[in-house]
Structures are given as structure tokens and as C-alpha cells.
Amino acid sequence: MADKAELLKELYPEDNFNIGDNLTDGEVEVLYELRQSLEKHLRPVINEYWEKGETPFEQFKAVVNDVNYLKDPRVYQTEGLFNTSQYYTFFLAYELSRFDVSISTFSGVHSGLGFYTFLLGGNDEQRERWCEKILDFELQTCFALTEPEHGSDVAGGLETVAKKDGDKWILNGHKRWIGGATTADIIPVFAKDADTGDVKCFVVEKGQEGLEIEKIGGKISLRMVENADFTLNNVEVKEENRLQNINSFKDVAKVLYITRSGVAFSATGMMAGALEATLKYVKERKQFGRPIAKFQLIQEKIAVMKANLTASLALCDQIVKQQEKGNFDEVNSSIGKLFISQRLRESVAAGRAACGGNGITLEKGIARFFADAEAIFTYEGSYEMNALIIGRSLTGHSAFV
């Protein structure tokens, strides 16, 4: 295989500040192999599955069989579960989202929100029982927090309840927008203790009696992510399947803090994918007898896309530097999510416009990024909620209500 510098130049020509130099040789090799596998297994079917709104699950598993990017020993810094560098975490989200953000979201919910719920929320026995199998994709998981009437205010508005009954719990409630739940083997469900009001987490298994899962249809964004709307009707969960270290919303927030910056990383990767698709089109498309890449208005659009991407890469680099030190500050993550998701929206609109009428077709690549940006702008803390987190830090006043 080529050396690290050559691989990085091929993978990320858009990386003006050479942020990829922070990756190890092994991490770059894994990312390169992942790129090849994505192109081999998923590229031929990506538009088909986006259009029909289904996850290309078998093709995704083929990628994992080729490159287990969560467990490859080349990406581990020291012994321990998922003990990878923050730079690898960043570039993994960037690489997957550069290809397609639905694939990145499906993977990220599983290995981010889902995995860290078990890693941080479980006791030693529970981590041993589930975490390795999650990293191997032997068990697929997700993250069941939001509800039909509670998204941004879920910290204080959780309506799903769990009632203790001997050595088991009885769960009743309704969850919505749970990505990956339609195929998940184990679902960490957050519910309020009916007696104490404390938030706890319960591992519900696929096919349990009283669990009804329905895929949400009619989406215009992240169409390959099979979000679910599901109900729990007297679902029984043994005490041993309650994650023992989640006993308040503060415990849930630890998972959210450690993964929120991943949305900024994904949005940055999307900008890179959108720029690549746009450049390919404008260099090939001819009007008035010459490639449209030679026209000033087209060059202005791709220049804005490049500037937005470069600024976002630089911001991600600074966030990652802090996280390498163990500083997962929520304000830093909120700044990243707010700023980069806004730049993403601007960039994909410019790319779509540069591609003209052909920019609304899946064939040219930009349309997926254009549509999917709308979900990124809103999910895992909307633009407005992140603005209020930043505003609270500046003024000392909470303006959530």
C-alpha cells in the first residue's frame, strides 16, 4: 500500500490545512480500505435505496465484513473498548458522510449514541455482555429517547414510564424518530421511573411481546435511515437488563455530550462530498460551447463551497484537539453543530444551483446531499436549540422557556 502522505492526498485533496496528518498510518490505511469497500458494495445501489427509502443492510454488512472499522487493531491506541483517537472518530464520520450521510447516520447511531449508552450506562457485566457484540455488528442497536410530543424538551418531558414489579419492569409509552429501530436487535429505551420520576434506561429486545415498531414513511431527507415510530404496551424488562449506571437525565446527557460533535463532523464530510459531485458535473457539462466550469458565476459558487468546507474543517480540528484532551464541552459542540450545519445548507444549495436542472436528479450526486442537509440542520439538537445553549453560556440566562 502507498505511504500515508500519498493516501491522504488521494483521499482528502480538499484538506488544505493537512489536518489528516494527525492520523496514524494504520488509521489512514483503514479509511482508505473503507473508501474502496463503500465504492464496491454501496455505490452501485445507493441511489436505488435512497429513492425507495430503505437501508441497504446487506451491502452495508458486506462493507463491515471487508473492513471492521470499529474494531480493526490498526485504529486502537491502547487496550480498551473502542479506545480510538478523536481524530479517527472525526475522519470516520467525515469519510462515511462524504460518501452518504444516511450510511454515516445509520453507522453513527449504532456505534455512537447506541454504543456509548451501553459503554457508559452499563455495569461491568453488561458491558462485557453487549459491547463487543455491538462493535462487531453482531448485535445492532440504536437510541430510543425522543417521543412524539417531546424532542428538544425531552429532558423534562419524558412520558414513557417504567413501573417496578418484583425483579422486572413494565414499560409503557411511545417513541418516535428512532433511527435504525426497525432492524435493531437490542434497543436502549429511556423511560421515567413511575415511582421516583428518575430517568432510567432499559434494554428491549427485538420481537418482545408488547413492542410494536412502524417505519416512518414520506421523508424527504435521510431516506435510507429507517426511522421508527414505536409503542411499548406492558413490555417486560428484567432488572438485569436495566442499564445500571443511568439513573438521571444527567447520565443520558453524558452520552449526548460525547457524541454531539459527530453531527458537525458529518456535516463537514457532506460538504466535501457535495463539492466533489459539483466539480465533476461542472467540468463535464457544456453550455454555449464550453464547460460551465469556465463561467464566472459557477466558479463563485464552487469557491463559496470550498471556503465553507475549509472553515468547517478548521473548526472541527479545534474541537477534536479539545476532545483529545478529554474536554467534550457542550458549548464547543453546539458552536460546531450550529455553524457547520448552516454552512452545509448554504453549500449544498450552491452546488445544486451550479448543476442546474440536472441537480435535482439522483444521477448527478448533489441531490442526495441537498435533501439530506435538511435533516442534519435539525437533528441531534436543532439549530435553534444549539443557539440557545451558546446564548446561555454568554449571558448566564437560559432562554429555553
Side-chain angles (χ1 to χ4, degrees):
M1 186 175 286
D3 66 21
K4 173 181 167 181
E6 291 176 352
L7 292 178
L8 283 171
K9 186 176 181 180
E10 180 179 345
L11 284 170
Y12 309 120
E14 68 273 9
D15 182 14
N16 285 33
F17 298 143
N18 300 317
I19 298 167
D21 288 350
N22 292 286
L23 294 164
T24 66
D25 290 359
E27 289 168 341
V28 175
E29 288 173 4
V30 171
L31 291 167
Y32 182 82
E33 291 168 11
L34 177 59
R35 171 80 62 86
Q36 309 310 306
S37 190
L38 289 168
E39 292 295 329
K40 176 183 177 181
H41 296 292
L42 281 165
R43 180 67 69 191
V45 302
I46 201 76
N47 289 336
E48 173 192 347
Y49 276 84
W50 194 94
E51 190 162 22
K52 65 184 182 180
E54 296 177 4
T55 305
F57 201 64
E58 292 305 314
Q59 291 85 350
F60 178 79
K61 287 198 294 185
V63 171
V64 174
N65 289 336
D66 272 357
V67 190
N68 192 338
Y69 52 85
L70 300 180
K71 286 200 68 180
D72 192 298
R74 289 172 291 177
V75 304
Y76 278 75
Q77 304 301 297
T78 57
E79 292 294 324
L81 282 168
F82 207 28
N83 197 5
T84 55
S85 76
Q86 289 301 307
Y87 274 102
Y88 178 72
T89 300
F90 163 41
F91 272 97
L92 176 59
Y94 182 89
E95 176 64 37
L96 290 169
S97 300
R98 196 181 190 277
F99 178 79
D100 182 89
V101 77
S102 287
I103 300 300
S104 179
T105 300
F106 175 77
S107 175
V109 169
H110 171 86
S111 62
L113 289 168
F115 174 78
Y116 278 104
T117 298
F118 287 88
L119 184 66
L120 300 179
N123 59 23
D124 290 342
E125 183 277 326
Q126 290 171 329
R127 286 192 292 269
E128 184 176 350
R129 192 190 336 163
W130 284 310
C131 285
E132 289 283 356
K133 292 180 179 179
I134 293 171
L135 290 182
D136 281 328
F137 285 95
E138 183 180 339
L139 292 176
Q140 185 208 326
T141 190
C142 56
F143 186 80
L145 176 63
T146 55
E147 299 180 347
E149 302 302 326
H150 300 286
S152 297
D153 72 344
V154 73
L158 205 63
E159 293 185 16
T160 301
V161 296
K163 177 72 175 177
K164 187 75 181 294
D165 181 16
D167 64 350
K168 63 186 177 185
W169 296 79
I170 310 300
L171 273 62
N172 284 281
H174 193 173
K175 296 292 180 179
R176 185 167 174 82
W177 293 116
I178 312 306
T182 59
T183 54
D185 301 294
I186 47 176
I187 304 174
V189 175
F190 297 90
K192 186 182 296 185
D193 186 325
D195 294 321
T196 67
D198 296 328
V199 175
K200 292 181 166 59
C201 185
F202 305 86
V203 180
V204 175
E205 299 178 1
K206 179 192 293 185
Q208 275 197 240
E209 186 176 354
L211 174 65
E212 295 184 9
I213 301 179
E214 182 179 353
K215 174 181 166 183
I216 297 173
K219 296 192 303 174
I220 66 164
S221 191
L222 289 183
R223 288 180 52 78
M224 286 189 293
V225 178
E226 297 190 19
N227 295 91
D229 191 355
F230 70 79
T231 56
L232 302 123
N233 184 14
N234 293 324
V235 173
E236 296 185 4
V237 177
K238 296 179 181 178
E239 169 65 15
E240 65 187 46
N241 285 354
R242 179 180 70 83
L243 295 181
Q244 299 296 308
N245 292 329
I246 294 180
N247 296 292
S248 69
F249 198 82
K250 287 185 178 179
D251 297 326
V252 184
K254 293 175 185 176
V255 178
L256 297 173
Y257 292 160
I258 207 168
T259 59
R260 177 165 289 162
S261 57
V263 186
F265 301 161
S266 290
T268 307
M270 288 181 71
M271 277 190 263
L275 178 59
E276 181 182 43
T278 303
L279 282 172
K280 183 177 186 299
Y281 180 81
V282 300
K283 288 177 181 179
E284 295 173 351
R285 174 69 168 172
K286 291 183 179 180
Q287 292 286 277
F288 304 102
R290 57 180 176 157
I292 63 173
K294 291 187 175 183
F295 290 98
Q296 292 179 356
L297 289 176
I298 295 297
Q299 290 200 6
E300 186 272 343
K301 288 177 172 58
I302 59 176
V304 167
M305 295 175 75
K306 173 65 174 178
N308 284 344
L309 171 57
T310 302
S312 298
L313 277 166
L315 179 52
C316 286
D317 182 37
Q318 293 305 309
I319 293 172
V320 170
K321 277 186 169 66
Q322 291 298 310
Q323 293 184 170
E324 284 274 279
K325 300 174 184 178
N327 177 17
F328 290 83
D329 181 73
E330 71 166 334
V331 176
N332 289 344
S333 295
S334 289
I335 291 171
K337 170 58 164 60
L338 178 143
F339 177 81
I340 296 175
S341 66
Q342 192 174 46
R343 300 285 73 75
L344 170 65
R345 242 183 171 189
E346 181 182 31
S347 292
V348 296
R352 212 288 311 150
C355 294
N358 289 326
I360 68 170
T361 68
L362 292 174
E363 178 188 1
K364 301 304 178 184
I366 188 65
R368 280 187 293 109
F369 293 108
F370 178 79
D372 289 342
E374 286 305 294
I376 303 305
F377 188 71
T378 296
Y379 86 163
E380 292 236 14
S382 67
Y383 176 89
E384 291 77 11
M385 292 304 296
N386 281 291
L388 294 182
I389 290 171
I390 298 166
R392 182 177 61 188
S393 74
L394 292 170
T395 65
H397 298 290
S398 175
F400 291 95
V401 293

